[in-house]
Amino acid sequence: MRKLGISDRLATGTIAELLQGQAAERPDSLYAIFPDRSFTFAELDREARAWARALHAQGVRAGDHVATMMPNCAEWPPVYFGALYLGAVVVALNARYKRHEL
């Protein structure tokens, strides 16, 4: 049996499964670099799982919609992947929205 490559997983897996696979295969490789910090795949996976536990404790379950209203910042990927680990649907709201637009 051949090992699935990244293109195979893109066609068959979820986004959360892609992170999980990359964290297992290349834990020390960089996922992203922000001005104030960077993430390896393992660090992002660990922080996303912590967010998943926190969201679950607040009652978020698979199929729920989780709205995020955050700028492009280092805090966003763990929240995003944490919700995806639960099977929730992430609704990213524009951080520049005004009250009346929401």
Side-chain angles (χ1 to χ4, degrees), residues 65-71 76 80 89-95 97 102:
H65 289 74
V66 175
T68 61
M69 187 178 203
M70 303 170 75
W76 193 83
Y80 173 74
V89 177
V90 177
V91 180
L93 302 175
N94 187 332
Y97 279 164
L102 293 172

Side-chain angles (χ1 to χ4, degrees), residues 2-15 17-19 21-22 25-26:
R2 77 180 180 90
K3 184 176 177 183
L4 292 179
I6 188 79
S7 61
D8 297 310
R9 287 194 303 259
L10 280 172
T12 60
T14 66
I15 295 172
E17 289 170 341
L18 287 173
L19 173 58
Q22 291 299 299
E25 290 175 25
R26 36 188 279 183

Side-chain angles (χ1 to χ4, degrees), residues 17-37:
E17 289 170 341
L18 287 173
L19 173 58
Q20 199 171 24
Q22 291 299 299
E25 290 175 25
R26 36 188 279 183
D28 297 325
S29 294
L30 280 176
Y31 167 78
I33 300 171
F34 290 89
D36 55 337
R37 74 165 292 189

